[in-house]
Amino acid sequence: MKRTLGTCYYPEHWPRDVWASDAQRMVEAGLTWVRIGEFAWSRLEPAQGAYDFAWLDEAIAILGEAGLKVVLGTPTATPPRWMIDRHLDMLAVDAQGNPRKFGSRRHYCFSHEGYKQDCAQIVTKLAERYGRNPHVAAWQTDNEYGCHDTTLSYSDMARHAFQNWLRTKYSGLGNDGDIDALNAAWGNVFWSMDYSDFDQIDLPNLTVTEPNPSHVLDFRRFSSDQVVTFNKLQVDIIRAHSDAPVAHNYMGRITDFDHFDVGDDLDIASWDSYPLGFLEDRIEADAGYKRAYARQGDPDFQAFHHDLYRAVGKERWWVMEQQPGPVNWAPYNPEPLPGMVRLWTWEAFAHGAEAVCYFRWRQAPMAQEQMHAGMLRPDSAPAPALGEAEQVFRELAEAPDVTPYQAEVALIFDYEADWAWSIQPHGTGASYFDLVFDTYRGLRGLGLSVDILRPDADVSGYKVIAGPGLMHMSAAQKAALANSEAQVILGPRSASRDENMRIPVPLPPALEGFDAVVSRVESLRPDMPIALSQGGAITRYRDVMEGGAEVVENTLDGQAAVLMSDRMTYVAGWLDAKAMQRVLRRVCDQAGVETQVLPEGIRCRRTGRELFWFNHTTEVVDVAGLILDPTSVKRIPRG
Ligand code: GAL
């Protein structure tokens, strides 16, 4: 597979007479792909059943004949205004009960059957018309599921669909649900929450105080399944008419639906990488850190998602949208330093991307994203990103191929665990994503390449497997880890709930061959870290352990902080960066995995044939004799 570049283009935003010259310039810049169509519904079907494909026919022909490959998006993230009159209740409803109105995008509820039929209709029209078009080389379903908080909807449609989902899950004799089974699973005897019929079950919002966590977890699972069903509807239609691969463009730090489940129905995972927007908007860090990386982005956040979506795509993944300059949507939107667009592009390739497409070709002079840079300015003069993309294109001559690589170290990511933590964090701000991300950062700071794994992944071949915070661990998952060859590191909070979100007895973690249990837990204020005797501290959350496993680290006040039995290490708390590094290093040493503590802002990644180094700082950095210029990338071929 070749490494390729592309861009996101909106022919419907520009006069027809610039399409050909745009296409020509894209080809000259070294671009292979052009993604189009994903928001164009009002121009494809201006009134119900009145289609206009002439302009899209022409645009695809012009782009394709210039030598570009088209990624055709389905336009279902932007239902046109006339449709709202047709389905007054198709808008999603937020947790406060307010409709999420027309006037931007993603204004639909995944459970609305009428809307889904209309989606099936437009996707069928597109697939029939372009499924065999030689220029349409890939498809994208919808746009960024879940973005703008759009997975969960508290509409009437969602309530009915949830009740049916529960009937099936807690099925009794015949097709009817067994309401007693649901009452038992959720523990509804508590606070007299018993139901006598599935029709009585409401969505878990607007309750007086917190709703039953078991109820919420099932609602989160249901909501995720609705996204999977919505996506699959489109994929099945496209596949009936086209052999081109189908992708979806996921977002950064959106965890409300299980991306692995959606990915199972797709050929390629892709995601939209906005390093500077994410630093300001989606990362917990102090002001000094954010200032230091304001023009470069966090050194681990993009890499984490590259590794996550490589797993979601089962090795086939792209960056569908790459930040080219300032975005419009974060609290502050600085320009990247010169060289960063190039660095981000190479970083994606280093993590296995097949394609990196820049968002967008030309900056829009109208509407919500006027303040968002493109590869060209609104007047069509080049913006800084164009030159950096051209540079990457030239450099690709030396390193044209994706070269897959299995890392020595794996990190498990479980979307359900994220929902479980968010339902009962036990302490303000304790988020599963942050815990996993801290672990990822710790591993990368030791110079390691990391494979992210889904919870039921094959774990063979790994020397170290980290599974922090997996609140529910199935018997199969526990067995797979116990039977692997790897050093396994779990905790805190691992296996602390059963599949119904209840505390299991015997007490957690109940791991084969691991002789200790969590006897009590506590969450900690930010200003009450518990110091460890070897330095660093437990913050936010701690498990108090009891049992015979070997204690390898203690708190200053003499409690077990890290325990070990055979190949299993259990971390009884959320470690700060210092302790995290030491504990991870110890596990790696035991597994025979070589580590190297990297300077701040320096990261590396191996591929099958290369070792890449990235300097995210503004200083020249010397890494054991390797000199890395500011905001630079170095590629070292290896045998
Ligand atoms: C993405 C989205 C694009 C555009 C971009 C701006 O989230 O898919 O359509 O809005 O952000 O940064």
Side-chain angles (χ1 to χ4, degrees), residues 42-299:
S42 72
R43 297 302 168 101
L44 294 171
E45 191 180 0
Q48 192 208 336
Y51 296 98
D52 178 5
F53 290 114
W55 69 267
L56 188 56
D57 293 349
E58 194 182 335
I60 291 175
I62 289 174
L63 295 164
E65 280 158 23
L68 295 158
K69 294 183 184 179
V70 171
V71 182
L72 186 56
T74 69
T76 53
T78 48
R81 179 62 186 84
W82 55 259
M83 197 175 289
I84 315 294
D85 295 332
R86 218 167 114 65
H87 308 298
L88 292 173
D89 53 356
M90 66 168 276
L91 302 176
V93 173
D94 73 12
Q96 277 64 53
N98 301 312
R100 308 207 57 202
K101 296 196 302 184
F102 181 86
S104 64
R105 62 177 171 184
R106 299 212 53 72
H107 43 280
Y108 68 83
C109 171
F110 282 101
S111 296
H112 196 281
E113 292 306 322
Y115 180 58
K116 283 199 260 188
Q117 278 165 22
D118 284 358
C119 290
Q121 180 83 9
I122 187 74
V123 175
T124 303
K125 290 277 175 200
L126 287 166
E128 283 173 352
R129 195 171 187 98
Y130 302 109
R132 302 281 166 215
N133 185 305
H135 304 308
V136 175
W139 295 82
Q140 174 187 298
T141 55
D142 202 277
N143 191 78
E144 291 181 345
Y145 293 135
C147 194
H148 317 306
D149 277 328
T150 50
T151 302
L152 306 183
S153 168
Y154 298 85
S155 69
D156 287 345
M157 291 284 181
R159 178 162 46 86
H160 290 305
F162 181 48
Q163 290 166 349
N164 286 332
W165 185 93
L166 291 170
R167 271 192 192 92
T168 308
K169 174 164 180 186
Y170 299 94
S171 59
L173 296 173
N175 284 332
D176 283 343
D178 176 351
I179 197 71
D180 293 335
L182 177 141
N183 284 322
W186 290 7
N188 282 337
V189 60
F190 191 81
W191 287 352
S192 275
M193 293 184 294
D194 288 308
Y195 297 103
S196 56
D197 196 303
F198 282 85
D199 290 338
Q200 297 170 334
I201 302 174
D202 212 331
L203 299 176
N205 64 325
L206 298 173
T207 49
V208 174
T209 183
E210 75 173 290
N212 184 341
S214 308
H215 183 171
V216 186
L217 183 59
D218 268 345
F219 175 62
R220 304 295 300 266
R221 289 174 174 142
F222 153 79
S223 302
S224 177
D225 285 358
Q226 294 301 86
V227 180
V228 175
T229 307
F230 183 89
N231 182 66
K232 185 163 190 305
L233 177 72
Q234 300 199 11
V235 177
D236 289 346
I237 294 168
I238 294 168
R239 289 230 169 97
H241 299 280
S242 172
D243 298 327
V246 188
H248 175 73
N249 58 331
Y250 306 107
M251 235 299 184
R253 199 177 180 155
I254 296 269
T255 51
D256 286 340
F257 66 92
D258 191 320
H259 293 47
F260 294 114
D261 289 346
V262 171
D264 283 344
D265 294 320
L266 295 166
D267 302 292
I268 298 173
S270 74
W271 82 288
D272 299 344
S273 179
Y274 291 93
L276 305 191
F278 293 145
L279 178 82
E280 290 295 346
D281 201 46
R282 302 201 178 178
I283 291 178
E284 262 216 53
D286 60 36
Y289 183 87
K290 290 200 176 185
R291 174 63 195 90
Y293 291 108
R295 295 190 187 280
Q296 304 97 296
D298 183 276

Side-chain angles (χ1 to χ4, degrees), residues 460-484:
S460 49
Y462 291 103
K463 294 187 177 168
V464 170
I465 304 170
L470 297 168
M471 266 178 77
H472 168 58
M473 295 178 69
S474 67
Q477 185 180 40
K478 286 181 177 177
L481 293 178
N483 298 332
S484 75

